[in-house]
Amino acid sequence: MTLRLLQHRAADGTRSVIAARGDTAAFVPGVDSVRALANRAIAAGTDLAGAVAACGVGATVDIAAELAAGRLLAPIDHADPAHLFMTGTGLTHLGSAEGRDKMHREAAAAEKQTDSMRIFLEGVAGGKPAAGQVGSQPEWFYKGNGHGLIGPGAALTSPAFAKDGGEEPELAGIYLIGDDGTPFRLGVCLANEFSDHVTERHNYLWLAHSKLRQAALGPELLVGPLPAQIQGSSRIHRDGAVLWEKPFLSGEENMSHSFANLEAHHFKYDVFRQPGDVHVHFFGTATLSFSEGITTQVGDEFEIEAAPFTLPLRNALAQASAQAVTVKAL
């Protein structure tokens, strides 16, 4: 059965790691974070499953109850949030060009192919290269650092100046950089790569602005081979009722790029291979409520779920108060 790792924080602040397989979950003795467990695995020359086995088995735990009680954290973090990078790639899924192209179409002449469609078609043609070959370069964006990463149940908070706060249901790859600069993939999580689609639609060159927002990770880190097929659902709840719902697909069978190609084009940069850093890399989506005319509002709850993850990711939409920022000369 597939191993899933979770991070837990008790009422007294004590942190623990939980290992789950199927319907069974237990605390992992002797480690207080997934990052610490991964460092043990790297040092021992084993994998995460081997590191869990070496720690032994602790008390069993009901992870659904712990999620409901608010005691499950995002399954990765860093003691210094500045050493956690959030980045992502877009136009990576076989249905993803449609929604993005709708947003950008008016910015270009009708007879001219948009930049979005061009980069999507380049991915379809060359996003899954043969071993040893260099594939098409995907769209890439920087999203922020660990200060913007939240876990299940926490509010996704838009800045006061945001024009929109919209969900993006996807998978996120989780990586730790080893002492020699090797990127180690720990696994994948469910994610809500929260974005400002109104700002992006105004001008596609504002994509960089639209992505500088928080992001949420589901409670479970799925360890082992990357999934070829993910089928899930994305929902928005408002006032206790489902406002919008749509299936979403991910995994390489539904993507125009391979995971390996997306990873290669991220980690080819030296700055992303600094020892000890953590990377959360969002792999993209083809499902957006915004592209179907939905306007979210404060208090809406986003819900994302997909097998083989057993727990959903739920986050309510909030908006920060306006704040004045003054630059002082020294």
Side-chain angles (χ1 to χ4, degrees):
M1 289 183 287
T2 304
L3 173 65
R4 308 184 312 280
L5 296 175
L6 306 89
Q7 294 196 132
H8 180 273
R9 183 169 57 207
D12 64 0
T14 302
R15 289 179 48 133
S16 306
V17 172
I18 297 170
R21 288 184 175 86
D23 297 328
T24 302
F27 289 104
V28 179
V31 288
D32 62 1
S33 71
V34 167
R35 186 168 61 94
L37 182 68
N39 278 321
R40 285 195 183 193
I42 294 169
T46 186
D47 56 14
L48 283 169
V52 168
C55 290
V57 179
T60 59
V61 58
D62 182 338
I63 56 175
E66 296 303 300
L67 176 63
R71 291 191 283 267
L72 296 183
L73 308 171
I76 192 65
D77 53 9
H78 197 290
D80 179 356
H83 283 278
L84 186 151
F85 290 81
M86 295 198 300
T87 58
T89 46
L91 298 168
T92 55
H93 285 62
L94 294 173
S96 61
E98 179 184 0
R100 179 70 65 82
D101 209 44
K102 283 181 182 178
M103 293 163 58
H104 297 172
R105 190 177 298 145
E106 295 176 0
E111 69 275 8
K112 182 180 178 182
Q113 196 175 77
T114 65
D115 287 341
S116 295
M117 186 57 73
R118 285 177 57 210
I119 201 168
F120 172 74
L121 293 175
E122 287 172 5
V124 171
K128 293 182 176 179
Q133 300 297 309
V134 177
S136 298
Q137 183 167 264
E139 176 194 54
W140 181 96
F141 58 86
Y142 173 71
K143 189 153 183 71
N145 62 22
H147 291 286
L149 182 66
I150 69 169
L156 276 166
T157 304
S158 279
F161 54 78
K163 304 299 184 184
D164 169 58
E167 87 298 333
E168 295 204 10
E170 43 194 281
L171 294 178
I174 310 301
Y175 306 85
L176 176 64
I177 310 302
D179 290 342
D180 64 353
T182 299
F184 289 90
R185 187 196 314 116
L186 310 188
V188 292
C189 299
L190 278 181
N192 189 336
E193 194 271 291
F194 183 63
S195 298
D196 184 342
H197 301 107
V198 172
T199 291
E200 179 189 350
R201 181 179 61 181
H202 176 79
N203 187 319
Y204 77 95
L205 294 176
W206 284 2
L207 173 72
H209 291 276
S210 75
K211 293 298 187 181
L212 289 172
R213 302 291 186 268
Q214 292 183 330
L217 294 183
E220 299 167 290
L221 175 70
L222 189 70
V223 176
L226 292 172
Q229 177 74 249
I230 290 283
Q231 299 185 38
S233 295
S234 180
R235 303 181 189 92
I236 300 175
H237 299 266
R238 179 177 294 171
D239 299 326
V242 175
L243 171 71
W244 176 86
E245 179 176 13
K246 190 170 183 178
F248 81 93
L249 300 174
S250 193
E252 283 196 2
E253 290 183 4
N254 300 298
M255 296 170 65
S256 51
H257 288 263
S258 64
F259 289 118
N261 190 52
L262 300 180
E263 291 171 340
H265 282 294
H266 178 68
F267 290 111
K268 68 185 180 184
Y269 295 103
D270 293 348
V271 69
F272 297 143
R273 300 195 308 276
Q274 299 304 305
D277 283 351
V278 168
H279 289 256
V280 177
H281 191 74
F282 300 91
F283 288 125
T285 188
T287 305
L288 304 173
S289 66
F290 179 80
S291 66
E292 299 189 358
I294 299 296
T295 300
T296 60
Q297 63 186 39
V298 170
D300 288 350
E301 183 183 62
F302 304 114
E303 180 181 40
I304 301 168
E305 61 179 359
F309 302 95
T310 66
L311 300 177
L313 172 60
R314 299 189 185 100
N315 304 93
L317 175 60
Q319 189 159 34
S321 301
Q323 54 181 320
V325 179
T326 302
V327 177
K328 296 183 178 181
L330 288 179

